[in-house]
Amino acid sequence: TGPTGPGGGGEEPCNCCEAHGGLGCDNQECQDCVCGLDTFCCETAWDTVCVGEAEVECAAACTCCNA
């Protein structure tokens, strides 16, 4: 059973709390929260500012950051 197996609680590992060159991150709820605050994160790159927003302002939506 992987991270999405039964009883996993939805806490999948994700890249929302790591700066990377891609657009957005792989947790939709977290991505929506962060990009709602800062469109740069979904239009240009997911940088360290986006990571900070994921960890602070969007901590409730970005549960994978605490996994």
Side-chain angles (χ1 to χ4, degrees):
T1 355
T4 55
E11 302 239 348
E12 301 175 17
C14 70
N15 64 352
C16 299
C17 293
E18 299 169 11
H20 57 84
L23 304 181
C25 69
D26 55 14
N27 177 306
Q28 190 66 48
E29 187 181 356
C30 181
Q31 175 183 293
D32 290 347
C33 178
V34 172
C35 292
L37 295 170
D38 187 350
T39 57
F40 179 91
C41 302
C42 283
E43 294 176 357
T44 307
W46 193 271
D47 63 6
T48 55
V49 173
C50 306
V51 170
E53 290 166 345
E55 292 175 337
V56 180
E57 288 91 343
C58 295
C62 300
T63 55
C64 62
C65 292
N66 307 319

